């Protein structure tokens, strides 16, 4: 069985700057991968390319059998709607939509909306009493949970999370990590960009980048529960 | 969900959208008023034109040395046609007469009809109000000066071996041939000339556009064989030119107003586009296609246009009434056909003004999410 994600000799340049330099790795379906490295090492660039938000300069990226580099804008949009669930550090919720509507927005772009299903997704992340609240009325942790519910609503093949706990306090970080852990246990494939050793230790494998190059791929030294 | 998002979008940007809506409503109001005025102005103006003299003349064909005359029964035949556009019909019999040794033209007519089509004549003294008044006359300004006549004077007229004595009711200034004539009732002139039941010509005042006047002329000609029925070309052409210019003025004013409205909307939408870059980047990241997102924004603009069009139409109706009273002295009635035109124009302006929002389709989500 072929891996869900194949990255081969991936290059990305911004003018003279080489953000990614011949990066290669694979991710099996159901794996939790932590992408780690110092600031400017190319982590977000890598996740943007995997999510179809950016184009590679060279190399191959294949996700669920689709070579992303060959996709046009329309196909990339469809790819994002069908196969990817994004969780961002800044949450990125639409400020004038309620928590429920933010989740339904992803459904709307994917196919058809189902309010009941969206409400259930929010219940699963513990926000059953926050459905009609707009982001300004939610705490950071609650906003991130809305974003997680939104990322999951279309059953994506791949969940891409960019520093999902970067803006959260310890309590909310624990809640979000528990959610990611549960998703992993449920068989979702998760790629998390993080600086946090704690999150890195929860992953099946760590892909570490330095100056755009793949430094190492390792299994966490601490045992997971 | 589409309508839900649309509603939230309208609510979230109500400040900027209100500015755009004011621009659209103002433009729609002026357009609606001008369109209402344009549709009614033609009718009002042609009515006004009918006070500026006859625009169709019925006369016997010219021939021989003798002045040709028509049977006065032509007046009954014209009346029997029941042509609604005919405002007034005035017969004229011109008689070469003498006042003492001075030659003068006596014109016999119907003063009630002359008054309808020549309301702009200046009058010093009184008018001859009845067709049965065989004692009074009006004297043209030049003729009065030559004959030394003033209101209340008596004038003796002779034609061949017949005489008539008339009292001057008033002095008229028309700026035309009437200034050199003495005008009296048709019967009196016919009696002086010994031409009972005869007229030299009939002046007809027809309301309508140049095309309608041509139509009436053709109808009269068809029903009055043996007579020349011809429009007074200069007047018809002048009326046509004035109507054309007014239409042109209204058209260009509407175009200018719509452009100004569009600029107002454009300014609002440009600011709105800057505010929405992040939302659009996010929507694209979530798998929203450019078509999906643009459909939202264009519907939002079209909704604004429709609301602005309806409200503007209602304001325009009031404005048109006010303009009608100030310009024509009559209330201009609301024309329902202006409503869809106003709405369509306003939606068009709103969509054109929403151009900056269309540029959001080019937003690159990765850049937005990076915070660029």
């Amino acid at each position: 069985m072929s891996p869900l994600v194949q990255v081969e000799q991936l290059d990305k340049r911004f003018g003279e700057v080489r953000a990614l330099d011949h990066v290669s790795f694979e991710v099996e379906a159901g794996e939790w991968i932590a992408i780690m490295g110092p600031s400017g090492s190319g982590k977000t660039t890598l996740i943007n390319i995997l999510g179809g938000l950016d184009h590679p300069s060279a190399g191959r990226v294949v996700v669920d059998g689709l070579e992303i580099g060959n996709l046009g804008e329309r196909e990339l949009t469809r790819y994002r709607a069908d196969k990817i669930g994004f969780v961002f550090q800044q949450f990125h919720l639409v400020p004038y939509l309620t928590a429920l509507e933010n989740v339904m927005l992803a459904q709307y772009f994917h196919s058809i909306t189902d309010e009941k299903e969206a409400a259930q997704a929010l219940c699963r992340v513990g926000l059953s009493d926050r459905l009609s609240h707009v982001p300004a009325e939610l705490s950071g942790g609650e906003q991130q949970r809305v974003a997680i519910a939104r990322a999951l609503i279309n059953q994506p093949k791949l969940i891409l999370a960019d520093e999902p706990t970067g803006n959260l306090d310890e309590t909310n970080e624990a809640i979000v990590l528990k959610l990611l852990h549960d998703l992993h246990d449920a068989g979702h494939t998760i790629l998390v960009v993080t600086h946090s050793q704690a999150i890195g230790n929860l992953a099946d494998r760590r892909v570490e980048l330095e100056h755009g190059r793949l430094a190492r791929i390792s299994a966490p030294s601490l045992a997971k529960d | 969900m589409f309508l839900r998002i649309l509603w939230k979008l309208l609510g979230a940007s109500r400040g900027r959208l209100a500015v755009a809506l004011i621009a659209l409503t103002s433009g729609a109001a002026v357009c609606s008023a001008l369109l209402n005025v344009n549709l009614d102005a033609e009718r009002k103006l042609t009515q006004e034109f009918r006070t500026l003299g006859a625009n169709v003349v019925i006369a016997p064909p010219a021939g021989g040395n003798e002045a040709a005359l028509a049977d006065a029964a032509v007046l009954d035949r014209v009346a029997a046609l029941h042509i609604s556009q005919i405002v007034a019909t005035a017969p004229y019999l011109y008689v070469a007469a003498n006042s003492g040794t001075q030659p003068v033209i006596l014109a016999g007519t119907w003063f009630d009809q002359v008054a309808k089509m020549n309301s702009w004549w200046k009058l010093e003294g009184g008018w001859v109000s009845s067709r049965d008044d065989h004692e009074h006359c009006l004297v043209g300004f030049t003729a009065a000066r030559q004959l030394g006549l003033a209101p209340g004077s008596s004038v003796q007229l002779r034609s061949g071996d017949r005489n008539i004595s008339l009292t001057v009711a008033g002095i008229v200034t028309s700026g035309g041939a009437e200034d050199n004539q003495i005008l009296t009732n048709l019967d009196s002139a016919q009696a002086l000339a010994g031409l009972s039941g005869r007229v030299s010509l009939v002046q007809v005042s027809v309301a309508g556009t140049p095309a309608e006047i041509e139509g009436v002329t053709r109808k009269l000609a068809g029903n009055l064989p043996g007579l020349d029925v011809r429009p007074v070309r200069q007047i018809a052409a002048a009326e046509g030119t004035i109507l054309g210019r007014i239409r042109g003025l209204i058209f260009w004013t509407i175009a200018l107003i719509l452009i100004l409205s569009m600029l107002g909307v454009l300014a609002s939408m440009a600011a709105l586009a800057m505010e929405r870059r992040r939302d659009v980047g996010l929507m694209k990241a979530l798998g929203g296609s450019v078509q999906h997102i643009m459909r939202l924004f264009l519907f939002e603009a079209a909704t604004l246009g429709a609301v602005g069009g309806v409200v503007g139409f209602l304001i325009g109706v009031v404005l048109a009434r006010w303009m009608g009273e100030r310009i024509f002295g009559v209330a201009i009635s609301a024309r329902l056909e202006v409503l869809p035109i106003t709405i369509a124009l306003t939606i068009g302006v709103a969509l054109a003004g929403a151009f900056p929002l269309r540029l959001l389709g080019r937003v690159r989500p990765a850049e937005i999410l990076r915070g660029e």
Side-chain angles (χ1 to χ4, degrees), chain A residues 1-8 24-29 31 33 62 191 205 207 214 217:
Chain A
M1 194 172 153
S2 59
L4 181 69
V5 178
Q6 291 172 275
V7 178
E8 292 174 12
S24 300
F25 67 94
E26 292 180 346
V27 180
E28 297 296 333
E31 264 196 302
I33 303 291
V62 180
L191 265 76
R205 287 189 294 151
V207 173
L214 181 64
I217 298 176

Side-chain angles (χ1 to χ4, degrees), chain A residues 74-91:
Chain A
R74 268 186 195 193
E75 291 148 325
L76 273 179
T77 301
R78 202 62 243 159
Y79 163 78
R80 289 195 291 268
D82 288 344
K83 298 192 186 297
I84 303 296
F86 280 110
V87 180
F88 305 101
Q89 182 179 1
Q90 308 291 339
F91 322 134

Side-chain angles (χ1 to χ4, degrees), chain B residues 11 42 64 89 91 122 131 152 200 290 305 316 362:
Chain B
E42 209 160 269
T89 309
K122 280 190 204 161
R131 288 187 196 178
S200 304
V290 174
R362 298 180 190 168

Side-chain angles (χ1 to χ4, degrees), chain B residues 275-292:
Chain B
E275 289 173 4
R276 288 189 177 166
R277 283 183 80 234
R278 184 188 155 278
D279 294 349
V280 171
L282 173 63
M283 287 179 183
K284 289 180 89 171
L286 294 178
S289 64
V290 174
Q291 290 85 346
H292 255 124

Side-chain angles (χ1 to χ4, degrees), chain B residues 234-252:
Chain B
Q234 300 93 317
I235 292 177
E239 288 175 10
T241 305
I242 290 170
L243 287 176
R245 282 182 183 169
I246 288 175
R247 256 186 245 126
L249 180 69
I250 286 176
F251 171 81
W252 286 112

Side-chain angles (χ1 to χ4, degrees), chain A residues 16 20 29 35-36 53 95 106 109 112 144 149 167 187 190 194 212 221:
Chain A
E16 296 297 308
L20 292 172
I35 299 171
M36 304 184 72
L53 296 175
F109 290 140
I112 53 168
Q144 195 60 297
N167 276 346
I190 305 170
T194 186
S221 54

Side-chain angles (χ1 to χ4, degrees), chain B residues 65-87:
Chain B
N65 294 328
E66 295 264 330
L69 294 173
D71 194 323
V74 66
L75 294 161
D76 297 331
R77 287 158 66 193
V78 171
L81 291 172
H82 298 295
I83 298 171
S84 60
Q85 291 102 320
I86 292 180
V87 175

